[in-house]
Amino acid sequence: MVLAGETVLPIASGQGAARRPADLAAAVRELEAGPDAGAARRPRWVWADTREAYPPLLDAGVRVSRCHDLTLTEGLLLACEGRYGEPRSARAAHARLHGRPVPDEQPSMPGTLFAPEPLGADAVAEVLADQLRRVEALPDPGRFRLLVAAESAGALIAAEMGHDGMPWRRDVHDALLTELLGPRPVHGMRPARLQALADEVAAAFGHPVNPDSVQQLVKAFKGAGVALKSTRSWELKRIDHPAVEPLLAYKELARLHSFHGWAWADQWVRGGRFRPEYVVGGVVSGRWATSGGGALQIPKVMRRVVVADEGWTLVVADAAQLEPRVLAAMAGDAGLARAAGEIDLYSALAQAFGGDRDHAKIAMLSAMYGGTSGDAPKLLAMMRQRFPHAYRFVEDAAKAGEEGRLVRSWLGRTSPPPSERWRELVAGPEGGRAARDRGRFTRNFVVQATAAEWALALMAVLRGLLPEPARLVFFQHDEVMVHCPLGLAREVIDAVSAAAEEATRLVFGATPVRFPMEAVAVSCYADAK
DNA sequence: TGACCAAGCGCC
DNA sequence: AAAGGGCGCTTGGTCA
């Protein structure tokens, strides 16, 4: 079912002509809840961009069960086809289809002078048909279809989470800030506690220093006979000077104040809800990004501000050691898969290694991230010996990256090609360094991107299993949060486990690898761990 | 004055 | 506890 502007166009055969209902939202609601609307029979909505099409429906109280997002799909396809940089909007895709000049990528920001007419329903149907053809031409269309479905479901979920928002108690937030920083200052002033720490720093140096200025700090330490390469906190911790302690305290609190302080809450919290703007596929690996609100960087200390409504609860779940499990499943490494069949993967790994858990963890992370420092080389040799297939899998990805080739996730998300700049660097005297850097990136890409796919599948399945009026309200890479009435907690917790199993089956088929996802019901996010 | 970069650190 | 890949976001500082 195509939705373009105000037009609804059935594209399955024999379902009638395009129409422009007087009340679009009501028409969509009706089609979603049609007489024979079993879950599998509900329409799949095809539209240019979920970020534009869906929020008005949500505002009108309408939710859809599935969609095909042309823009997201175009991005996935272009990358896969080795055409990474080309504009990915549905409009651009349509222009290319007709051999017309392709419009520049145009973020639809408020205040843009030209808001182009939305693509017509026929054009949307044409782009869809073209995309479906291109998918079938890929080496593994089945997996890619799953990727498209999951990415599109993610777009629905992102819009819904932005609409519903995560519970955020402003009174608790204010109390926390006041406790740590002092009362809210008038605009532009430092909170009392921060000012006191800044004064302590100045006193330690014997002259005023702006603790927010790296330059001034380095100069001040130099004057005190301490040479510093940077003012990173771990470097500061190593030196002995009376300014260090108040400075470290200042840095931590100043960050809290400027990133997640009162001004942030004024902008992002309304009606007891924090409503971030998620960007699906905003990271090349397929992880989500945010375009405001910093939802993916909320400091742990802030978790006590996230409190369920009266009579409701928060079901919080995160996938344990997701990335090594993903590697085990992808590489088809029997030994690693056996370890990943256990709840605590690292302990199982340590047994297979004959070493301790910490070393097993370092070995695993080094393999996935390309670590070289400390004990990594020795532990990597062990990895290679014990888990040759898994080792080979990430080594191949790294080698591809070093040679400037593309790599793909399990479902077919494709890494960006190397830049011109990179090719120049690689040809130059310091070429080895640039090559190794890209190798580390592609090595990690195959794992991180596939982990993102699993998480997307998990959310898509979970969304379909949630009983009304439970809502997904937060997602952070491998962690989800559901807000629901207390009485539904058990059902939601079970839904999370079921969704993890189903996501694993969807993405990897039959595999001995387990993906444990333990959910807990808490009234406050801070109590979840 | 606005655009842009680097540093630094929060999250996974 | 960190290593290491990925990000967002703010501040200070530079440059046109």
Side-chain angles (χ1 to χ4, degrees), chain A residues 122-151:
Chain A
D122 292 333
V124 167
E126 251 184 291
V127 174
L128 172 69
D130 175 60
Q131 289 185 346
L132 297 181
R133 267 196 304 274
R134 286 153 69 197
V135 170
E136 292 314 309
L138 296 173
D140 197 331
R143 284 193 194 171
F144 202 87
R145 278 197 296 268
L146 178 58
L147 176 58
V148 168
E151 190 91 327

Side-chain angles (χ1 to χ4, degrees), chain A residues 22 41 117 121 157 244 253 277 299 301 342 372-373 387-388 416 432 438 447 474 491-493 499-500 503 528:
Chain A
R41 310 207 43 130
E117 275 291 294
I157 293 164
V244 167
L253 293 176
E277 292 164 16
V301 64
E342 303 295 325
T372 54
S373 60
F387 307 112
R438 186 158 191 277
V447 179
F474 186 58
E491 194 177 337
V492 170
I493 288 171

